Amino acid sequence: FRIQLMGRFQNLYIQASCIVLVSVITSLLFNQLRESPLSFVKKKVEVVSVLKSTSSVTSEPSIIGIDLELAKNLFEENTLFVDARAEEFYNEGHIPNAICFDDFDLLVEKLENTIGMDDQFIVYCSDSDCGSSEDLSYELQSHGYNNILLFKGGWKEWTDANLIQAKYE
């Protein structure tokens, strides 16, 4: 009886291993056949203080990290900001005229009604340790947006510098 039971577990283990292997191979193939395959390694976003040209369109989609001074200058040029924080935090305070990301489909709809796929915009979240803005940037890039700027210092750096703020009360 024990040998029969061990044989059954061995068969289940082999079947489960085959299912996992087929799933991994299928997902890898699907990713490679996508119009823009997802990278397996997250690219490090370098922070810059000066853009070569704030209106140039690069040949490849890019996510460029920007510092506070550049974020402030782009704000003054009416560049669109996207807040990657939850709506409750956005309502407590945000960069004026920023749009909120609480629902990805609604955000994409707002972006489609506001800017073109090649227009630059800035994504930020709470602070430099927050990964939401980077995750959202990559998600938007895979959706077809090509010139995304990432304000790594986020809301904390903006408020610490006593820059203009908006709130919903």
Side-chain angles (χ1 to χ4, degrees), residues 125-145:
C125 61
S126 58
D127 58 33
S128 59
D129 293 331
C130 176
S132 299
S133 56
E134 198 167 330
D135 293 342
L136 177 60
S137 296
Y138 284 110
E139 194 171 349
L140 288 167
Q141 185 181 55
S142 71
H143 197 74
Y145 289 93

Side-chain angles (χ1 to χ4, degrees), residues 111-134:
L111 287 173
E112 286 172 351
N113 293 329
T114 309
I115 62 171
M117 297 300 253
D118 293 325
D119 292 338
Q120 283 186 340
F121 60 96
I122 301 163
V123 179
Y124 73 96
C125 61
S126 58
D127 58 33
S128 59
D129 293 331
C130 176
S132 299
S133 56
E134 198 167 330

